[in-house]
Amino acid sequence: MAFRRERDREKAMAASQKLSLDQLFNKIQEGRIKELPLIVKTDVAGSAEVLAQALKNLSNEKVKVSLLHVGVGAININDVLLASASGAIIVGFNVRPEKKAEAEAEKSGVELRLHTIIYNVTDEIRKAM
């Protein structure tokens, strides 16, 4: 019984520390957020470069987009652990998370945003900002 209570408490604490795009807009309006940490994973290096540049260009005077990691390949457990430790959102472009990474993201409250069109990624981030 105590184990379940402890586990539920840890999940609640982890979820409250993580940032989702849905929560981002409210925190920006309140002036509590100055930086949006992102981890970007794509299918090929060319997409990674273009998406990274497009996301950096979204920075404005209220919020700076901070790219903690840009890489090629499936979203793995290391990406999720980095996002969990830094409060980042993981953006995947034409990639899927590994099973272990998806389970860890759900457990630790890390938000995964998966897309197949670059404009959808930038529009989603821009709307949240």
Side-chain angles (χ1 to χ4, degrees):
M1 189 74 163
F3 172 75
R4 287 186 185 153
R5 252 185 303 189
E6 180 65 23
R7 185 184 63 199
D8 291 343
R9 186 179 75 79
E10 287 176 1
K11 280 185 180 180
M13 287 177 57
S16 68
Q17 294 173 350
K18 305 304 178 237
L19 180 67
S20 71
L21 285 179
D22 299 332
Q23 299 165 340
L24 175 66
F25 180 74
N26 292 335
K27 291 187 178 187
I28 290 172
Q29 293 300 325
E30 295 169 4
R32 294 178 18 205
I33 296 286
K34 301 286 185 221
E35 183 175 77
L36 173 61
L38 296 175
I39 295 172
V40 178
K41 293 293 286 236
T42 65
D43 55 347
V44 294
S47 296
E49 292 173 15
V50 170
L51 188 55
Q53 189 59 44
L55 290 172
K56 283 181 187 175
N57 290 340
L58 292 178
S59 294
N60 58 35
E61 64 277 351
K62 290 184 180 180
V63 180
K64 178 183 178 238
V65 174
S66 173
L67 299 177
L68 300 180
H69 176 68
V70 178
V72 175
I75 298 167
N76 59 40
I77 192 84
N78 291 333
D79 299 322
V80 174
L81 293 175
L82 176 60
S84 179
S86 61
I89 296 170
I90 299 176
V91 176
F93 178 72
N94 283 336
V95 295
R96 305 292 308 166
E98 296 174 350
K99 289 189 187 296
K100 288 182 181 180
E102 191 169 21
E104 180 64 29
E106 188 173 316
K107 183 178 108 179
S108 61
V110 172
E111 185 171 3
L112 299 174
R113 294 290 184 145
L114 305 175
H115 295 279
T116 56
I117 300 172
I118 286 181
Y119 299 112
N120 289 349
V121 177
T122 57
D123 286 346
E124 182 178 67
I125 301 295
R126 185 181 299 116
K127 286 178 186 175
M129 292 172 63

